[in-house]
Amino acid sequence: MSYILNTTAEQQAMLAAIGAKSIDELFAMIPADCQLNRPLDLPPALTEQELTAHMQQLAGRNVSCQQSVCFLGGGSYDHFIPAAVDALASRGEFFTSYTPYQPEVSQGNLQVFFEYQSLITRLTGMDVSNASLYDGGSAAAEAVLMSLAVTGRSGRVVVAGSVHPEYRQILATYLRDLGVELVTVATPNGTVSLDQLTAAITPETACVLVQQPNFFGCLEEVEAIGRAAKAAGAVFAVAVDPLSLGVLNRPGSYGADIVVAEGQSLGNPLAFGGPYLGIIACREDFVRRLPGRIAGQTVDRLGRRCWVLTLQTREQHIRREKATSNICTNQGLFALRATIYLSLMGPQGLRELGELCLQKAAYAKQTLTAGRRLQPAFDAPVFKEFVLRDTENNVEQLLAQAADAGFFGGLPLGRWYPELSDCVLVAVTEKRTRCEIDRLAAAFHASGAQKTTGVASADNCIPTPHGATRTAHA
């Protein structure tokens, strides 16, 4: 990006236009103790050529999933993205459109949002979907805020400890100044205990939030949890992996009131931080509390099919003082990519993808625990992720061995769960091949002396068109 400079004359012209005599007068309303009365602590200025070289050097320190085989999960996944998603989403009328929630938004964008909403409601089994939020974590927090408003209760929110820990951190931030007690039910066995969860639900509980599959990849007893929540008059909210719904029951079928998800896996690439795609859908009678916007289908004065912004009850330009949702241009683009992806996959494609994840994860779990070092941490059934315990209690060394062999071997859990500091979360998507899984197992079980000579590179694994795998020397 080119430098954009203002000359002194231009600055004076702008100050004169707003009636200020100086920059100091412009910022006079900022308390003096909040002003920085010294130069910024920055290194010496660089030329554009020097800065470009510096940034390229920094970027070169990153290792991407194109350079290492990815078994990382925990909310962001290395799923395959059809080329058609990039080709269609890159069209100028979509790629350059500004914040696509304004009243003058184009018919093309409105149609995309309408189709996105239709696909999400079909996927989740819910009545209504908005046209996306910032990410899965903020969608979970918005679901809880909806529950507070719908129930009129503000005493307690009950969350399973197996909900993504960063979702729970976001939720704690949202609730910090609302006087709501956030109760987290521990999940030492990988899933929440129904008895302990039920005991935590009181008549003041507005919402019960669980994740399916949960952060550990395990499947929760969602039907029983939903019944317990509803028996107490609380809203039952579920965070899901959208790709799991090709093989698992839709949340609407087991009584969920609000469904949220991280939509990165729906045709959106991995990125270093957000935003991603926050999915939220709900029952129809909750629609007035739904954040964001809803696009609808109608006809114009000539009877032609067209689309409109139908509802935006909590948008900042409608009720600024009550708006809480975070809507941005990027979300429209990610919702577009999810729409294209879901349209290409269809119900049968999602089912086949889910079955691939399920089967490959089962094979990986069996293979990785075949040696003495790794054991399954939990017994619950899983979808595409599972937790392994390192019997040598040296996860850092274990993952370093994998990295030396060309793998992102998994996500260490000690960062969020100190009691699981000897555990690693492994994710297996449809992209992972049998060869890659076998070689990761070899890397995990290699001794320090073997790791540089006895473990072949992941580069030797070449997927075939039929999903099998051959090695480069085969």
Side-chain angles (χ1 to χ4, degrees), residues 21 24 32 34 53 68 103 112 175 254 258 267 306 328 334 358 386 406 458 461 472:
K21 296 179 181 178
D24 290 339
C34 294
S68 288
V112 166
L175 298 181
Y254 52 78
I258 305 175
C306 63
C328 67
F334 279 2
L358 195 64
F386 49 89
C461 297

Side-chain angles (χ1 to χ4, degrees), residues 141-155:
E142 289 282 1
V144 170
L145 294 184
M146 287 176 64
S147 304
L148 298 174
V150 167
T151 61
R153 299 176 178 179
S154 58

Side-chain angles (χ1 to χ4, degrees), residues 23 28 53 70 111 118 125 135 168-170 196 210 259 274 304 317 335 348 350 352 354 371 400 413 424 446 466 473:
I23 295 291
C70 183
Q111 182 179 353
S118 302
D135 60 12
R168 290 187 281 116
Q169 290 173 350
I170 295 170
Q196 292 180 9
V210 297
V259 178
R304 295 174 300 193
H317 58 281
Q348 183 62 28
L350 284 179
E352 292 175 2
L413 295 180
V424 60
H466 303 292
H473 58 274

Side-chain angles (χ1 to χ4, degrees), residues 153 197 201 205 207-208 224-236 257:
R153 299 176 178 179
L197 183 81
I201 302 173
T205 300
C207 180
V208 175
I225 294 171
R227 287 194 295 270
K230 291 174 180 292
V235 170
F236 178 38
D257 297 306

Side-chain angles (χ1 to χ4, degrees), residues 59 99 120 136 145 166 171 175 209 231 244 305 341 349 360 367 457 463:
T99 315
I120 294 301
L145 294 184
E166 292 179 348
L171 180 57
L175 298 181
L209 173 65
S244 73
R305 185 188 187 199
Y341 179 86
K360 293 188 176 188
T367 304
S457 167

Side-chain angles (χ1 to χ4, degrees), residues 142-185:
E142 289 282 1
V144 170
L145 294 184
M146 287 176 64
S147 304
L148 298 174
V150 167
T151 61
R153 299 176 178 179
S154 58
R156 171 175 283 211
V157 169
V158 176
V159 182
S162 51
V163 171
H164 195 303
E166 292 179 348
Y167 288 15
R168 290 187 281 116
Q169 290 173 350
I170 295 170
L171 180 57
T173 301
Y174 271 60
L175 298 181
R176 184 177 59 190
D177 297 320
L178 297 182
V180 179
E181 182 184 11
L182 179 60
V183 177
T184 301
V185 180

Side-chain angles (χ1 to χ4, degrees), residues 171-333:
L171 180 57
T173 301
Y174 271 60
L175 298 181
R176 184 177 59 190
D177 297 320
L178 297 182
V180 179
E181 182 184 11
L182 179 60
V183 177
T184 301
V185 180
T187 52
N189 298 317
T191 57
V192 70
S193 160
L194 184 59
D195 290 340
Q196 292 180 9
L197 183 81
T198 303
I201 302 173
T202 69
E204 293 301 312
T205 300
C207 180
V208 175
L209 173 65
V210 297
Q211 188 170 0
Q212 179 76 337
N214 65 28
F215 180 71
F216 304 124
C218 302
L219 302 185
E220 300 277 6
E221 297 181 74
V222 282
E223 292 188 19
I225 294 171
R227 287 194 295 270
K230 291 174 180 292
V235 170
F236 178 38
V238 185
V240 300
D241 176 345
L243 290 185
S244 73
L245 300 180
V247 292
L248 299 180
N249 288 337
R250 298 187 301 169
S253 69
Y254 52 78
D257 297 306
I258 305 175
V259 178
V260 299
E262 172 50 65
Q264 175 270 324
S265 57
L266 303 178
N268 291 300
L270 290 164
F272 295 98
Y276 274 162
L277 173 64
I279 294 172
I280 187 167
C282 64
R283 289 167 32 190
E284 185 174 5
D285 48 339
F286 288 10
V287 68
R288 297 291 301 183
R289 302 294 182 179
L290 188 66
R293 58 201 180 275
I294 297 177
Q297 180 176 272
T298 185
V299 293
D300 65 10
R301 62 187 177 86
L302 300 177
R304 295 174 300 193
R305 185 188 187 199
C306 63
W307 294 269
V308 295
L309 277 181
T310 301
L311 197 66
Q312 33 191 345
T313 59
R314 289 168 59 192
E315 288 279 6
Q316 61 268 37
H317 58 281
I318 302 297
R319 305 173 72 185
R320 180 180 296 274
E321 75 282 2
K322 295 185 178 180
T324 59
S325 52
N326 186 320
I327 307 298
C328 67
T329 306
N330 188 83
Q331 291 166 214
L333 189 61

